[in-house]
Amino acid sequence: MRSPYHVVFMGTPGFAVPSLEALAALPDVELAGVVTQPDRPAGRGRRLTPPPVKFAAERLDVPIMQVTTLRDAAARQRLEAWQADAFIVAAFGLILGRKTLAIPRIAAINVHASLLPAYRGASPVAAAIARGEHETGVTLMRMDPGLDTGPMYAREAMPIAADDTTGTLTERLAQLGADMVTDHLPAILAGDLTPKEQIGPATLTRPLTKADGWLDWSKTAIELERQVRAMSPWPRAWTTLPDGTTLQVRDASVERLECDAPAGTVHIDGDRLLIACGADQLIVTTAQPAGGRPVRGVDLVRGRQLAAGDRLGVLGGPEEIRPLVETLPGGE
């Protein structure tokens, strides 16, 4: 009888949990340990909270290692002690250098939430929604020292629904990634699945920042509606009221109707709050003022926080807005 493969899992947020659970359920695989990031303050009380992968690992009764880096010798020695045949990595959030990648006997395998080589990097789901893609997916790839540049074992597509947010789409992609671990990892470990090089135009995403949620009303309503969904659940799409205080836009839709007013101008149509955009208008269905609760957009007018003819986003925007997606030269 063949000995089970020793596998170490690395991941941090909720996206990684289904893949961890799928890995733990595989026959002929022994989950030697789980590596995740440290507990961090969360919520209004800023209480120290473990990452979702730590909760899952505790339920599975698996050894846990929490690290802020894998670049020091002590952390690598702990990894080496687990004698891993493979690392499975899903949204870990830390870079694995050459020395770390050399530890597993077979390979380090990444569960990445895009159809590589599109949307490498930290924010592939939000970027796909914001740029109006009709589909995305998950890629299983063999990791190399580059950022999501390694060859691919498997690649499966998933449609993006018209009402998908980053939160809802990430949940579905997490399950797709788990299914792919179940379907393909045994063949990878046995050496029966050969990875293929990435081919085609490559794009790179960076981590989201608060500034990515800023609504530039000179953009089209279609672009802004996508941004609202892409920035949910974090950092949320936001603008400012005429007094400069922050207003989150939580739900919105597009009104295909031009408006002569300057971009950002408030218009009331019955029980609808519409904002003039570079093209068409954005219907703000749900919004949340600073320090308040989410309310219907039109209730901002009834509560006298807004009036027809006011302009949003005139005061208090971010100092710098950087592109979320970079197109890499030569498909590298």
Side-chain angles (χ1 to χ4, degrees):
M1 182 176 179
R2 182 172 56 75
S3 299
Y5 294 101
H6 287 241
V7 177
V8 170
F9 184 84
M10 299 181 181
T12 301
F15 171 81
V17 171
S19 289
L20 171 58
E21 293 172 340
L23 180 63
L26 281 175
D28 298 328
V29 167
E30 179 179 309
L31 191 52
V34 168
V35 187
T36 190
Q37 292 199 39
D39 300 1
R40 300 192 190 280
R44 290 192 175 183
R46 307 305 292 163
R47 295 183 60 181
L48 206 59
T49 304
V53 163
K54 182 179 179 181
F55 279 121
E58 288 173 339
R59 291 196 305 270
L60 295 167
D61 195 24
V62 179
I64 300 167
M65 185 167 107
Q66 291 182 270
V67 295
T68 57
T69 181
L70 291 173
R71 295 187 179 277
D72 62 88
R76 289 195 298 272
Q77 286 173 358
R78 293 177 66 187
L79 280 177
E80 290 168 352
W82 279 331
Q83 298 182 332
D85 292 302
F87 293 164
I88 307 300
V89 183
F92 181 37
L94 296 176
I95 300 295
L96 274 61
R98 292 180 184 274
K99 293 180 179 179
T100 302
L101 292 172
I103 292 173
R105 181 179 64 85
I106 298 171
I109 301 153
N110 189 29
V111 183
H112 183 75
S114 82
L115 298 174
L116 292 173
Y119 303 120
R120 297 170 177 168
S123 306
V125 182
I129 292 174
R131 284 163 64 102
E133 301 286 2
H134 295 293
E135 70 172 14
T136 184
V138 172
T139 303
L140 293 186
M141 53 158 284
R142 188 178 71 198
M143 299 178 71
D144 64 15
L147 185 56
D148 300 326
T149 56
M152 306 177 295
Y153 292 104
R155 190 170 173 265
E156 296 189 20
M158 172 177 285
I160 299 176
D163 61 350
D164 260 328
T165 65
T166 291
T168 61
L169 184 55
T170 296
E171 287 184 8
R172 298 207 313 280
L173 290 169
Q175 187 55 55
L176 175 59
D179 293 342
M180 292 174 69
V181 168
T182 299
D183 293 342
H184 300 293
L185 186 59
I188 294 172
L189 296 176
D192 296 332
L193 189 58
T194 302
K196 299 179 180 178
E197 296 300 322
Q198 298 182 28
I199 299 174
T203 48
L204 178 65
T205 67
R206 57 169 175 76
L208 291 174
T209 68
K210 181 72 174 178
D212 291 313
W214 173 253
L215 294 169
D216 177 356
W217 296 106
S218 68
K219 293 182 177 180
T220 69
I222 291 174
E223 291 174 305
L224 294 175
E225 188 273 339
R226 291 171 182 160
Q227 185 180 356
V228 170
R229 292 186 289 113
M231 297 300 120
S232 175
W234 193 89
R236 294 288 184 187
W238 61 284
T239 185
T240 50
L241 294 167
D243 63 2
T245 58
T246 300
L247 178 72
Q248 289 184 359
V249 177
R250 288 180 162 253
D251 295 292
S253 59
V254 174
E255 174 71 16
R256 298 274 191 159
L257 183 66
E258 294 299 332
C259 179
D260 294 333
T265 300
V266 173
H267 173 65
I268 308 301
D269 179 19
D271 62 353
R272 302 189 306 166
L273 173 65
L274 291 84
I275 313 298
C277 303
D280 300 323
Q281 298 181 66
L282 191 74
I283 303 170
V284 177
T285 309
T286 309
Q288 183 173 1
R293 296 182 178 181
V295 297
R296 292 191 310 160
V298 72
D299 288 340
L300 295 170
V301 177
R302 292 170 180 166
R304 299 187 178 181
Q305 291 163 295
L306 274 180
D310 284 347
R311 287 186 67 192
L312 300 179
V314 176
L315 300 174
E319 293 183 1
E320 181 184 17
I321 301 174
R322 296 184 294 130
L324 180 58
V325 180
E326 175 188 359
T327 300
L328 300 177
E332 295 298 325

